[in-house]
Amino acid sequence: MALLITSKCINCDMCEPECPNQAIARGEKVYQIDSTRCTECVGHYDAPTCQKVCPIDNTVIFDPHRRESSEQLWDKFVLLHPSVLL
């Protein structure tokens, strides 16, 4: 499943540069995650980097409306980064 940034976000700008898929962007009020680009860092890291660098607990959560299996996340990674597999 993709990740979601909640209204607890303080717009500190820690997460955006850490996203390997360029899925995070400044929103109208808080940063937002593009679910079509979010792989929960599958293919890059063991855990989502945005969750690791966020200074506020429980701000970056799993989006309950966008459930994806590990296999689906891997497939999305392959589509976003085809040159990695060459």
Side-chain angles (χ1 to χ4, degrees):
M1 84 183 57
L3 297 170
L4 172 72
I5 297 175
T6 69
S7 60
K8 292 181 181 180
C9 177
I10 59 171
N11 294 310
C12 67
D13 196 38
M14 293 293 292
C15 59
E16 182 183 22
E18 294 297 324
C19 181
N21 298 314
Q22 299 174 336
I24 300 174
R26 195 177 222 8
E28 198 170 302
K29 294 184 180 183
V30 297
Y31 277 86
Q32 296 179 335
I33 298 176
D34 178 351
S35 62
T36 64
R37 298 191 64 82
C38 179
T39 64
E40 298 175 30
C41 291
V42 166
H44 294 283
Y45 306 111
D46 292 335
T49 57
C50 56
Q51 286 182 325
K52 285 184 173 183
V53 300
C54 183
I56 309 297
D57 289 338
N58 299 315
T59 298
V60 182
I61 62 171
F62 293 102
D63 186 343
H65 303 290
R66 292 189 167 78
R67 298 191 180 270
E68 295 172 291
S69 68
S70 296
E71 203 170 82
Q72 289 171 308
L73 293 169
W74 176 257
D75 290 344
K76 194 186 311 185
F77 164 78
V78 170
L79 289 173
L80 291 168
H81 306 281
S83 64
V84 172
L85 301 176
L86 296 178

